[in-house]
Amino acid sequence: MSERSTNLDFPATAIGRLGRGAFSATLSMQDFAFCDSMGLEPLDLVEGYCVMTKRAPLYSGRPLGVPAPYAARGTRLPSALDTAYTKTYRCPHRTFGLRGDHPAFGRNAEQVFLSTSWRRGFDLAYRRMVAQAQHAGAHGVIGIVDGQQPFGDLPATEFRIVGTAVRITDAPIPTGRPWTTYLAGQRLAKVIEMGFMPVSVVVQRTWIAVWASCMTAYLMEGANIRRGPYDESVLEAEQVSDARMAATRIATRRLKEQLGSDSLFGVTVETTEEELHSGNRLFGTALSGTRLRRFAKPSEVDAPTPVMWLR
Amino acid sequence: MSMIEHSPDDLRQRVLDGNHAVRHPDPHQSGSAVVSGLTTDELLLLHSIDWEPVELVSGACTVGFRIGTWSPFAAGNTSHPSGSLTEALARSVQRLERACLDVGAFGVVAVTTDLDIQERYASVQLTGTAVRPQRPGRRPEAAFSTNLSTKEFVVLQRGGWAPRSVAFGACFVRIRRRSFGDALSQMVRNVELANFTQALAAARADTMNKVRERGQGIGGGVVQVSISDGRLPFARHVVSFVACGTIIQPSPRELLQFNARMAVDLRDREPSFQATSLRGPRAHEPTKRSGISGSGSTWGMSIRTRLRSAMRPTNYEE
């Protein structure tokens, strides 16, 4: 999570509730029983919210394949745009000298501004939840559930993140930020049995915008005709295929950058597609999961034996 | 059944150790990050045969359809969209396998298919987890891919077989309109709609042929074939068929066999007492068995049926 400092205050009623009196938890009965057996004592339900405007500043961009050199950048600090993914697709009809509405080239470009603004919203909600857990004296937050939804009629998105703050019995009083995880109960127990400990939830969203070249627009708008050079058996919209793969590849790379030398298993993959206009599109990939740190060697497990039940 | 057993005290100690590791990270810890779609159970299974996950990989392809492809007045030929979709699926598999080699893995397991058929185009995206042996030997020239789950992959490996590639087949079929005379004659009688039967049977056969040809090309058999079909929402007179399976071959190195261990389930699956017979002398009589419990392949079912017929007690009411 980024270290951008913003207002992390939470309601006065929450301050009164956290870490006092009876506990509250989002855990199911099974999860609660498992946590109890692991020595994790639920403290309170902790939550974070953030409502952010959603204006999509689509960046058409220039070729950004390499970082801009200092001479070209001037005194400006290097930005994420300098290394963002972009690829240009030339029109195959240049020799015909077509003019007018005919697009001379198409481009795929990573939407860094969208990713940054999404991350800012998620980060704020996350940091508010963590601040509540810290206030309650928790070692960690388990069973996290997050989500985003449009906020009323406004061009805004609401980020929500909820979890259960827990304290480890017999552990020293926590000093730093608590660890966080989507896992709870049996899954969390199994991860710890395997010698991994959750560090934090990690989320990465990447968008690739497709400004269609002439051929991509033809194919995606269903204008493909049987005559001339288009009478091939299969016509692929290469630009769109590339965008889909690039979104997943870049999201994975960025997620790995967040992980350091830790690991992420059971990653959740979510892909989105939004049609803009004239064959233009916005492809998104969201990856989320729990960053796990190895603290012990895994237990030896025998290879499974196929069993045939006689019933 | 493989189990890890720890007493509750061990587990609590592990939690304390883990908490300490998170608070005080080891500065000497090294290694590259792993992003994997496999769950911890699947990771354990993979480790049990000395394999490990490497990274999440994907392959995609989008193809356009021609103008008037779905017109209700067009001729019955749907070879162009069928060929386009089959080719899109094949290219996606190729790209997935190439991405796997790029990250230094041997193959991709648990491949999921995201297929989107629209009026103007069709998009395919395959996503899976690239895996490799923990002690990799020479890097393979071609990666494998499979839609089998990790559990099924492990069983296949243990049995001396190796997956080669995901095989797809796709076909669209246009249901021809009935002639006026046919419609009139079928109005008051219960008869077979032969044109529909023929069209669907031909499309299914064509789809399976494509899968078989792909398997034949590689030189292996295809397992876990599934065919999904459905009408296209934007063209109700067109039915799509998509078949998917995994091509497997005997593993060249490991000549093992599926040595399944027999196990008898001693748990009571029927109620010991029937509420209606508690007052009478039939209280302890076993209840009637019906059908074959559980699900499984045809192979498993035939085995169970045979064993049951051999072991059937005489006092069962059949």
Side-chain angles (χ1 to χ4, degrees), chain A residues 217-278:
Chain A
Y218 281 142
L219 292 169
M220 302 307 282
E221 291 186 332
N224 178 16
I225 54 175
R226 285 167 186 253
R227 295 191 299 273
Y230 313 114
D231 195 18
E232 295 171 26
S233 57
V234 178
L235 274 174
E236 182 183 352
E238 191 190 335
Q239 204 181 342
V240 176
S241 307
D242 285 354
R244 280 176 176 272
M245 287 190 290
T248 307
R249 194 176 59 242
I250 292 167
T252 309
R253 197 177 68 214
R254 300 244 189 278
L255 200 66
K256 283 178 87 170
E257 286 167 6
Q258 292 184 49
L259 291 178
S261 59
D262 296 330
S263 302
L264 175 60
F265 301 115
V267 64
T268 307
V269 186
E270 187 191 332
T271 55
T272 56
E273 179 180 349
E274 197 177 328
E275 189 163 357
L276 303 175
H277 55 85
S278 308

Side-chain angles (χ1 to χ4, degrees), chain A residues 142-205:
Chain A
I142 65 173
I144 286 178
V145 179
D146 65 350
Q148 302 91 48
Q149 61 178 20
F151 187 73
D153 294 339
L154 296 172
T157 303
E158 182 197 10
F159 293 83
R160 297 177 299 174
I161 182 161
V162 181
T164 300
V166 291
R167 182 166 48 206
I168 302 172
T169 318
D170 303 332
I173 296 168
T175 49
R177 287 168 63 170
W179 43 266
T180 55
T181 174
Y182 288 110
L183 307 173
Q186 193 181 160
R187 290 181 180 204
L188 180 61
K190 211 175 280 180
V191 160
I192 294 171
E193 288 274 19
M194 285 177 68
F196 289 105
M197 190 68 187
V199 179
S200 69
V201 296
V202 281
V203 182
Q204 177 62 45
R205 265 185 186 253

Side-chain angles (χ1 to χ4, degrees), chain B residues 214-238:
Chain B
R214 175 104 173 101
Q216 212 168 9
I218 290 181
V222 188
V223 294
Q224 199 149 313
V225 178
S226 63
I227 301 185
S228 56
D229 57 75
R231 282 183 172 185
L232 300 183
F234 49 84
R236 305 289 294 168
H237 60 291
V238 178

Side-chain angles (χ1 to χ4, degrees), chain A residues 36 139 177 179 190 193 222 224 231 233 235-237 241 248 256 262 264 266-267 281 302 306 308 310, chain B residues 2 6 12 14 19 23 33-34 36 38 41 55 62 64 66-67 80 91 95 121 125 261-263 307:
Chain A
D36 190 44
H139 286 95
R177 287 168 63 170
W179 43 266
K190 211 175 280 180
E193 288 274 19
N224 178 16
D231 195 18
S233 57
L235 274 174
E236 182 183 352
S241 307
T248 307
K256 283 178 87 170
D262 296 330
L264 175 60
V267 64
R281 275 172 160 69
D302 296 333
M308 186 170 67
L310 304 180
Chain B
S2 300
H6 284 293
R12 285 177 183 225
R14 283 211 158 214
N19 185 55
R23 299 263 169 247
V34 174
S36 149
L38 306 182
D41 278 350
E55 195 167 311
T62 301
R66 287 174 176 156
I67 277 180
H80 177 257
R91 286 184 192 180
R95 286 166 189 170
Y121 62 89
Q125 183 155 12
R261 203 171 60 191
M262 302 278 186
L307 288 168

Side-chain angles (χ1 to χ4, degrees), chain A residues 64-87:
Chain A
L64 299 164
V66 290
Y70 182 77
R73 222 171 49 222
T75 53
R76 177 174 67 79
L77 292 171
S79 87
L81 277 176
D82 292 333
T83 52
Y85 163 84
T86 183
K87 191 173 177 185

